[in-house]
Amino acid sequence: MVNLSMHIIGTGAAVPKRVITNEDITKVGDTSDEWITSRTGIKERRMLSGEALQDLAKDAAREALDAANIAAADLDLIIVATFTPTNFTPNTACYLKSTMGAGKAVAFDINSACSGFAYSLWVAQSIMAVHGYKNALIIGADALSIVTNWDDRSTFVLFGDGAGAAVLCGEDEASRGEILASTVHNFDDEGHSLFVTGINNGTPFYKPGTSEKSIVTMDGKTVFRFATVVCVDIMRELAEKAKVTLDEVSYFVLHQANGRIIDHVAGKLKLPIERFFKNVDKYGNTSAASVPIALHQMMQECRPKTGELVMLAAFGGGLTAGGAVFRV
Ligand code: ACO
């Protein structure tokens, strides 16, 4: 059986309890609430302090499954997008499968940095279509606080931790949430503008230096330029593929990396900024979790009506980018 239509039928989100305000961040290094707010729009973010990221992923997953009215046992597929997993093995998707009772699901993680949720949607759609799977759970979960370079003020102000989830249904008869188009793209990061080195614990024969710690390095200006260009391209591509105009889209949910990037994109496309959902002020850049957390919050707060269009767009390390458009 091949599923031709795919639907988003439930969303969920979970963030750590601990709120880290800009005031808290000023105690780490030479920065200010005024600089962070005016350059990024971020006022606070959440950071793990005792919780495990995989348990946040589970909380987000439970909420999405409840909203979709689907039991974990009915899931055919679980994909978690993360590059900061609690454990490398078992991976986060396997952890969810075994602890949520998703007995028959195929489960695996992917890493596409901040574009991870868009990639997980695209991969899930493809697998569901080929194998005739009915129900999939896709999750974006990241804890960039654990790979932050706390000596680099241009990046330590930006990141937060969290998880967001969505349930995809491949049943032709599902009437809500039909995905009209999705896309992903890769670009060579020749200038190493966004980098998180892998782990290197050393061996009895070689001790890595401190500079080899697994931390974020970013050329903010280059990533900013990439983000504004690629988001515009992706949004135009999605509209064309879905045979809709951007004017017809009620809500745009972009990667919440920096409020100014979202403002730029809205300005370039001459679209009203009110249609761009923003929660970067509360959560900062939560990487793969950013789009699904924002999507969930947008669905709860804005309550789009049946038939309205929602567009998602993300960009991140790799360099990667992707998005989707669906009809509520
Ligand atoms: N507090 C105070 N001053 C600062 C800080 C800080 N935290 N950080 C930098 N500055 C200073 C700089 O030293 C510089 O000072 P100077 O003019 O005296 O040299 C000045 O502020 C301007 O610095 P810029 O780097 O030019 O600041 P910019 O306006 O470009 O903002 C930022 C930096 C916020 C990082 C921006 O470039 C950005 O958001 N880039 C995109 C990042 C992004 O989207 N990442 C997403 C992907 S993340 C992922 O996939 C894991």
Side-chain angles (χ1 to χ4, degrees):
M1 182 194 147
V2 173
N3 287 311
L4 296 177
S5 70
M6 302 284 166
H7 305 254
I8 296 178
I9 60 166
T11 60
V15 291
K17 284 194 184 63
R18 181 89 187 258
V19 177
I20 307 292
T21 63
N22 286 351
E23 193 54 40
D24 296 324
I25 290 284
T26 62
K27 294 177 187 128
V28 177
D30 182 16
T31 188
S32 64
D33 174 46
E34 195 283 324
W35 192 95
I36 303 170
T37 306
S38 64
R39 298 290 175 129
T40 71
I42 299 166
K43 296 298 285 183
E44 58 187 49
R45 71 289 285 147
R46 303 295 180 99
M47 287 190 196
L48 295 180
S49 50
E51 308 100 322
L53 182 68
Q54 61 187 12
D55 289 320
L56 290 183
K58 188 153 78 173
D59 291 344
R62 276 213 190 92
E63 193 173 14
L65 286 169
D66 286 349
N69 203 17
I70 297 270
D74 294 327
L75 287 171
D76 301 297
L77 179 65
I78 302 175
I79 302 178
V80 177
T82 183
F83 72 92
T84 52
T86 306
N87 298 309
F88 288 113
T89 193
N91 64 35
T92 307
C94 288
Y95 173 77
L96 298 186
K97 173 186 151 75
S98 63
T99 58
M100 296 182 75
K104 66 172 178 176
V106 171
F108 59 91
D109 287 7
I110 61 169
N111 166 4
S112 304
C114 302
S115 311
F117 185 76
Y119 273 73
S120 64
L121 184 145
W122 187 82
V123 171
Q125 271 190 300
S126 315
I127 293 175
M128 289 166 84
V130 169
H131 295 286
Y133 286 171
K134 205 166 133 190
N135 300 311
L137 174 65
I138 56 170
I139 293 173
D142 264 320
L144 262 63
S145 63
I146 66 171
V147 291
T148 294
N149 178 355
W150 294 104
D151 293 324
D152 176 10
R153 66 176 180 169
S154 72
T155 54
F156 69 54
V157 298
L158 302 174
F159 302 118
D161 305 338
V167 174
L168 302 188
C169 173
E171 275 198 324
D172 288 333
E173 63 264 31
S175 55
R176 56 197 158 127
E178 186 178 5
I179 301 167
L180 304 181
S182 61
T183 190
V184 292
H185 288 284
N186 285 71
F187 307 87
D188 296 341
D189 187 9
E190 278 150 6
H192 297 275
S193 60
L194 185 45
F195 218 84
V196 183
T197 40
I199 47 165
N200 186 354
N201 296 337
T203 68
F205 315 103
Y206 170 67
K207 297 269 172 273
T210 46
S211 62
E212 292 174 76
K213 271 199 300 190
S214 180
I215 47 173
V216 177
T217 316
M218 184 172 73
D219 170 359
K221 279 197 191 316
T222 302
V223 177
F224 195 104
R225 272 194 300 274
F226 164 71
T228 50
V229 171
V230 83
C231 275
V232 167
D233 289 349
I234 282 204
M235 288 164 67
R236 286 187 173 139
E237 179 193 338
L238 287 169
E240 199 180 314
K241 275 188 169 168
K243 298 188 174 45
V244 299
T245 65
L246 289 172
D247 283 329
E248 291 174 79
V249 177
S250 301
Y251 297 100
F252 298 96
V253 180
L254 271 49
H255 175 35
Q256 306 285 308
N258 183 328
R260 281 165 52 223
I261 293 177
I262 300 174
D263 295 343
H264 259 75
V265 171
K268 261 187 178 174
L269 290 167
K270 299 192 172 41
L271 292 165
I273 190 66
E274 300 71 41
R275 283 200 256 150
F276 287 72
F277 187 79
K278 276 192 201 171
N279 65 3
V280 68
D281 58 326
K282 284 259 175 290
Y283 303 116
N285 176 353
T286 56
S287 186
S290 147
V291 167
I293 291 175
L295 171 62
H296 177 65
Q297 210 180 333
M298 185 282 288
M299 295 296 280
Q300 298 219 310
E301 285 176 17
C302 307
R303 301 250 162 228
K305 293 186 212 52
T306 305
E308 284 194 288
L309 295 174
V310 175
M311 189 175 278
L312 316 176
F315 54 89
L319 296 165
T320 55
V325 58
F326 69 96
R327 199 177 285 286
V328 175

